[in-house]
């Protein structure tokens, strides 16, 4: 969803997501690129500029992801309760 309004620099993505390591963001973006969901553009500069953007396939995934996000937000308390019950039973 961070790319839904256009291309973003790697550093901007990392800042906007917040709680993600550089390595995890790199691996995630590589996977999305491999799956054809994002493109990666390197602009030679010092330091190199790397931009990511959604492909047409990536844009087609926006609506299902937004729907899933709304569902998860609406059910966050039920999910938290289920996790608590699971964790208590695992003891």
């Amino acid at each position: 969803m961070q790319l839904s309004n256009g291309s973003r620099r790697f550093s901007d993505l990392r800042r906007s997501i917040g709680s993600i390591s550089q390595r995890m963001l790199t691996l995630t973006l590589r996977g999305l690129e491999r799956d054809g969901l994002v493109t990666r553009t390197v602009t030679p500069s010092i330091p190199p500029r790397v931009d990511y953007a959604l492909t047409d396939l990536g844009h087609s995934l926006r609506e299902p992801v937004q729907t899933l996000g709304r569902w998860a937000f609406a059910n966050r308390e039920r999910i938290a309760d289920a996790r608590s019950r699971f964790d208590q039973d695992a003891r």
Side-chain angles (χ1 to χ4, degrees), residues 47-62:
R49 178 182 172 139
V50 180
D51 291 282
Y52 292 89
L54 289 177
T55 62
D56 288 341
L57 184 61
H59 278 288
S60 73
L61 191 56
R62 286 173 56 194

Side-chain angles (χ1 to χ4, degrees), residues 7 17-18 22-25 29 32 38 43 50 52 57 63 66 71 74-77 84 86 89-90:
S7 68
I17 295 170
Q22 181 171 336
R23 174 146 174 77
M24 183 52 66
L25 180 56
L29 288 167
L32 293 171
V38 300
T43 304
V50 180
Y52 292 89
L57 184 61
E63 186 176 330
Q66 287 173 334
W71 177 89
N75 289 283
R76 67 190 180 282
E77 289 179 23
S84 293
F86 180 89
D89 291 345

Side-chain angles (χ1 to χ4, degrees), residues 17-28:
I17 295 170
S19 61
I20 190 168
S21 70
Q22 181 171 336
R23 174 146 174 77
M24 183 52 66
L25 180 56
T26 298
L27 291 173
T28 300

